[in-house]
Amino acid sequence: MKVQKKLLQIKSRSICMTANKIVIINNEKCSEKDRNIYCQNIEIKSLAEILKYTFDLYFILRRGKINPIHKISSKKIYLTNSYFDLFSKLSYFFKQKKNKYLIISITPFTFFAFILISLSGKKCFLYLRSDGREEFKYIFGFGFVWIYKLMLFFMAKYCTIIAVNKLIYPKKFFLALPSQIDKDWLKNSKRIKNKKLKLLYVGRIKVEKGVYSLLKLFNKIQKNISATLTLVGHGDELRNLNKNIKHIQPTYSKKKLIEIYDKHDIVILPSFTEGHPQVLLESLARKKPIIIFSNIAFVKKDFNNVFVSERNQDDFNKTITYIKKNFKLISKDFKKNKIPTKINFKNQLIKILNQSN
């Protein structure tokens, strides 16, 4: 094991000497602990893992006061405290001619980075993983959507676009479907028979994720269905939850997260906006039916056992009841699903980034 680890370290150093440098810029807030950098969302951690043996990676992220969850496997991380700090960090990389730049999502922070990169005469990749217009609408209000559209207009004009679907960006783009699914997610899936139906939500506790909408619906259907609801995620503080609702903090352990899925019967994805939800892939990998709502019905694609409900008490109740009564029947359809894997994502992204933009 030690020999294998040493070989990987040697391989990593040799790649850093010969491979293209890629500077990844994201609005992600990170914290430092014991000389390691941690993020709350797994995307940055995943990018570091899948690209570090192909490219010489550098990250420019935001410093924030957050609970450390996912350790980023890179020592080449610059945490910024301000826009001036961002300017200073990027200026260092502009002195190097052959660097490539990958911007994740559109925010004021990443838009400022884009302006600096463009003024320096460099080009960059822009990776769109979700519908920012809808997120702006639910976070800031409909009146602020024009700001996102303006940023998208300029960034799309000068960047090479990578996206997860054509609804996010309808013009020319490269497709890359993020996935955390590996052999651990796909093996030994099991169903535990619970006395009470156990519903599960995994994701951020934020209004745009539809959590508060889900809580209202769950409280209403309890008159007809005996069930519990577990919320796994960080974000807003939830108060006055009834005895059948439990909120637990997210886990960095893949094994523990898989165990959480296995202990539940149905997964709920109540988001108002999504691009390519990882929760959907994780649910299907663990052979758990998942309920989504009609405003994100497009994420169902050709997957089996993804059930679309209207966002009202009656339809939500009917959907849960149908799944409960027909679980044995629908279980046969899980094996028909072709779930994108982490390896698929790695190959897609490396092929795109190896192109000259």
Side-chain angles (χ1 to χ4, degrees), residues 161-209:
I161 303 295
I162 307 169
V164 297
N165 63 54
K166 64 182 180 181
L167 293 176
I168 290 175
Y169 188 72
K171 298 180 182 179
K172 183 181 178 182
F173 67 91
F174 291 97
L175 181 69
L177 300 176
S179 176
Q180 304 300 322
I181 305 303
D182 57 18
K183 61 182 181 180
D184 294 327
W185 278 99
L186 296 169
K187 69 182 181 183
N188 300 327
S189 58
K190 54 188 175 183
R191 186 191 180 200
I192 298 172
K193 291 185 178 180
N194 298 305
K195 291 182 180 179
K196 262 188 176 182
L197 192 67
K198 288 193 172 185
L199 309 181
L200 175 66
Y201 166 81
V202 179
R204 287 180 289 138
I205 311 299
K206 293 290 183 182
V207 63
E208 67 271 19
K209 291 299 179 181

Side-chain angles (χ1 to χ4, degrees), residues 37-99:
I37 306 298
Y38 292 81
C39 57
Q40 287 194 327
N41 298 320
I42 200 169
E43 287 86 356
I44 292 297
K45 174 182 181 291
S46 178
L47 284 175
E49 290 173 350
I50 67 174
L51 297 178
K52 66 181 179 181
Y53 295 121
T54 307
F55 301 103
D56 187 10
L57 292 180
Y58 292 81
F59 292 88
I60 298 179
L61 308 170
R62 293 174 63 199
R63 187 184 299 276
K65 294 181 180 179
I66 63 163
N67 293 325
I69 299 175
H70 302 292
K71 185 171 80 170
I72 305 172
S73 59
S74 174
K75 297 297 181 183
K76 301 173 183 178
I77 302 173
Y78 298 87
L79 297 185
T80 62
N81 297 301
S82 64
Y83 281 80
F84 178 78
D85 206 8
L86 173 60
F87 170 76
S88 176
K89 298 291 191 298
L90 278 173
S91 296
Y92 166 76
F93 289 105
F94 291 158
K95 297 173 185 177
Q96 303 160 12
K97 293 183 179 180
K98 294 184 179 181
N99 291 345

